[in-house]
Amino acid sequence: MEAGSRTYHARSRLNPAGRPGMMHKTFGWLRANMPTRESMESNRLLRPVAHRVMEPGLWRFNRRSVPRGVALGMVAGFLFPVAQIAIAALFALPFRANVPVAALTTFITNPFTTPFLWFLAYKIGSWILHSDAPAIAQPAAEATGWLQTITGAFHWLWAQGPAFGLGLIVLTSLCAVVGYAATALGWRLWIARKWRHRHAHSHSGNHV
């Protein structure tokens, strides 16, 4: 009883007032937005290979498939402006990556992050090629909504050609490598924390 009370008070100090921590909120968002088998199976772009996408091994979460899914989701999200989820799922097939993780990672590109990422890609490319161009001109400045803004920015970046293309490839590669490494490290830390918690729980149970 005493050990259980100590455990409760320790948890209360770590999480005052019983509020869910950032980690719990993150996992809650991931669960809510994680693509399901039904949604992937009903995707018309994936119907020809649905039997392969639904393979159980591609839906298991382990230390190899999850980091691969993150890296491939980055590639699909950065390089393909449309059909990102379907493309990420197709990328997962030959690499034996986790399909739902690959699909979910494509959400890193959205109306809020895409303009910044495109501009960053352009700056990287222009730095490598030692070229630069004036900032986004009149069409984007006169835009009245986010869709018009993104369209104007895309036309401007497309006009920069080599700088934007090279920068986008470099940025995609860097983010994919960092995403893979960070996820692999996070997975190891999560497993280590899980084992420590299990060991501490078992140890305290022996003293009850």
Side-chain angles (χ1 to χ4, degrees), residues 90-112:
L90 292 175
F91 282 172
L93 297 180
F95 293 97
R96 306 297 300 172
N98 185 282
V99 168
V101 169
L104 183 65
T105 306
T106 62
F107 283 87
I108 195 171
T109 52
N110 54 66
F112 300 102

Side-chain angles (χ1 to χ4, degrees), residues 54-108:
M54 294 299 110
E55 185 181 334
L58 299 178
W59 290 76
R60 293 196 183 101
F61 294 81
N62 57 58
R63 62 186 179 91
R64 292 187 178 90
S65 67
V66 171
R68 290 174 186 172
V70 170
L72 294 174
M74 292 274 191
V75 174
F78 278 51
L79 296 182
F80 299 89
V82 296
Q84 295 171 331
I85 291 179
I87 292 172
L90 292 175
F91 282 172
L93 297 180
F95 293 97
R96 306 297 300 172
N98 185 282
V99 168
V101 169
L104 183 65
T105 306
T106 62
F107 283 87
I108 195 171

Side-chain angles (χ1 to χ4, degrees), residues 122-136:
Y122 162 71
K123 296 300 288 185
I124 292 173
S126 63
W127 176 76
I128 294 174
L129 297 176
H130 303 288
S131 64
D132 207 344
I136 299 177

Side-chain angles (χ1 to χ4, degrees), residues 9 27 39 78 110 132 148 150 154 164 168-169 184 202-203:
H9 289 300
F27 278 116
S39 65
F78 278 51
N110 54 66
D132 207 344
Q148 290 85 354
I150 292 179
F154 179 78
F164 174 52
L168 187 61
I169 292 174
S202 174
H203 184 71

Side-chain angles (χ1 to χ4, degrees), residues 3 28 33 39 49 51 73 82 102 113 133-134 147 149 161 163 174 185 194:
N33 292 275
S39 65
V49 292
H51 62 288
V82 296
T113 61
L147 182 59
T149 302
L174 288 175
L185 177 62
K194 187 176 179 181

